[in-house]
Amino acid sequence: MNNMDDHGKLTTEILQELQNLFSIKEQVRNRQAGSISKIKNGLDENNISLRQLEILSLINREPNSTNTLLSQLLNISKPAVSRLTSKLVEQRLIEFNYFENNKSKIYQLTNKGKTVAETHDVLHKQATSDYEKILSTFSDTELQVIKLFIQRLSDHLQNSLN
């Protein structure tokens, strides 16, 4: 019985910590609005999605990207890539040319797109570095548990979308 009480208490504490985490994350996100506004500064529309930022970053790393390549790297459909890239073309963040076969588009960043992609990459690298510092304090066994928790939470959230 004592073990069940401990389990219930620990579960409650974890749920409280998750609520606290999400609250703090929202505060951090609000503070980072200044950095994000730097990314958005000068855009025709003050609205760019995370997926669009990912596309800009990928094109920056993989010059001459195509719909097929972006689709594979992002694990999304080619029509989804087309919708996202069309908006980026409208905002003059990317431009495209056709392969000689006149069927496949090759995307390249404009100067403005390169600035946005590089700013996004710097912010992403900073966040990754922060997470790596935190994760380095855990043992391999603890990391396995963290990984399992994140996978199950992601699966649960994904299932709630379907």
Side-chain angles (χ1 to χ4, degrees), residues 43 70 123 130:
L43 299 180
L70 294 172
L123 292 172
D130 291 345

Side-chain angles (χ1 to χ4, degrees), residues 142-160:
E142 291 168 325
L143 288 173
Q144 288 296 330
V145 173
I146 293 168
K147 179 181 173 188
L148 181 60
F149 172 75
I150 293 171
Q151 287 171 334
R152 289 186 182 170
L153 181 60
S154 295
D155 290 346
H156 174 76
L157 293 173
Q158 187 64 44
N159 289 335
S160 70

Side-chain angles (χ1 to χ4, degrees), residues 124-153:
H124 184 78
K125 187 179 276 190
Q126 287 172 346
T128 300
S129 175
D130 291 345
Y131 289 133
E132 287 173 346
K133 285 177 189 171
I134 294 166
L135 291 171
S136 71
T137 66
F138 293 95
S139 70
D140 288 350
T141 302
E142 291 168 325
L143 288 173
Q144 288 296 330
V145 173
I146 293 168
K147 179 181 173 188
L148 181 60
F149 172 75
I150 293 171
Q151 287 171 334
R152 289 186 182 170
L153 181 60

Side-chain angles (χ1 to χ4, degrees), residues 1-158:
M1 187 102 131
N2 189 19
N3 192 18
M4 289 298 283
D5 291 340
D6 290 343
H7 183 80
K9 182 179 177 189
L10 190 55
T11 298
T12 300
E13 289 172 357
I14 289 170
L15 292 174
Q16 288 171 341
E17 289 297 329
L18 279 172
Q19 288 175 336
N20 187 40
L21 171 68
F22 293 135
S23 175
I24 293 169
K25 180 65 177 163
E26 189 60 32
Q27 291 172 24
V28 168
R29 188 173 288 149
N30 290 338
R31 275 212 183 133
Q32 289 175 336
S35 297
I36 293 169
S37 69
K38 288 178 189 173
I39 291 176
K40 294 180 177 182
N41 187 27
L43 299 180
D44 295 336
E45 298 174 24
N46 201 19
N47 186 13
I48 187 166
S49 71
L50 182 56
R51 278 290 194 205
Q52 288 169 319
L53 287 171
E54 289 173 323
I55 286 174
L56 291 175
S57 186
L58 287 172
I59 293 171
N60 196 33
R61 284 191 305 251
E62 299 283 338
N64 300 320
S65 295
T66 63
N67 273 2
T68 301
L69 178 63
L70 294 172
S71 171
Q72 291 169 349
L73 292 173
L74 291 169
N75 198 28
I76 60 175
S77 70
K78 288 181 190 177
V81 170
S82 293
R83 284 190 297 276
L84 292 164
T85 54
S86 292
K87 291 177 184 176
L88 293 170
V89 169
E90 287 173 20
Q91 293 180 3
R92 295 182 172 88
L93 296 170
I94 62 171
E95 55 193 14
F96 64 88
N97 292 304
Y98 286 98
F99 269 124
E100 290 178 12
N101 65 13
N102 220 16
K103 291 183 180 182
S104 298
K105 292 179 183 177
I106 304 171
Y107 296 105
Q108 296 175 330
L109 296 176
T110 63
N111 288 336
K112 185 165 55 168
K114 188 160 186 63
T115 299
V116 172
E118 288 173 352
T119 303
H120 169 260
D121 290 346
V122 166
L123 292 172
H124 184 78
K125 187 179 276 190
Q126 287 172 346
T128 300
S129 175
D130 291 345
Y131 289 133
E132 287 173 346
K133 285 177 189 171
I134 294 166
L135 291 171
S136 71
T137 66
F138 293 95
S139 70
D140 288 350
T141 302
E142 291 168 325
L143 288 173
Q144 288 296 330
V145 173
I146 293 168
K147 179 181 173 188
L148 181 60
F149 172 75
I150 293 171
Q151 287 171 334
R152 289 186 182 170
L153 181 60
S154 295
D155 290 346
H156 174 76
L157 293 173
Q158 187 64 44

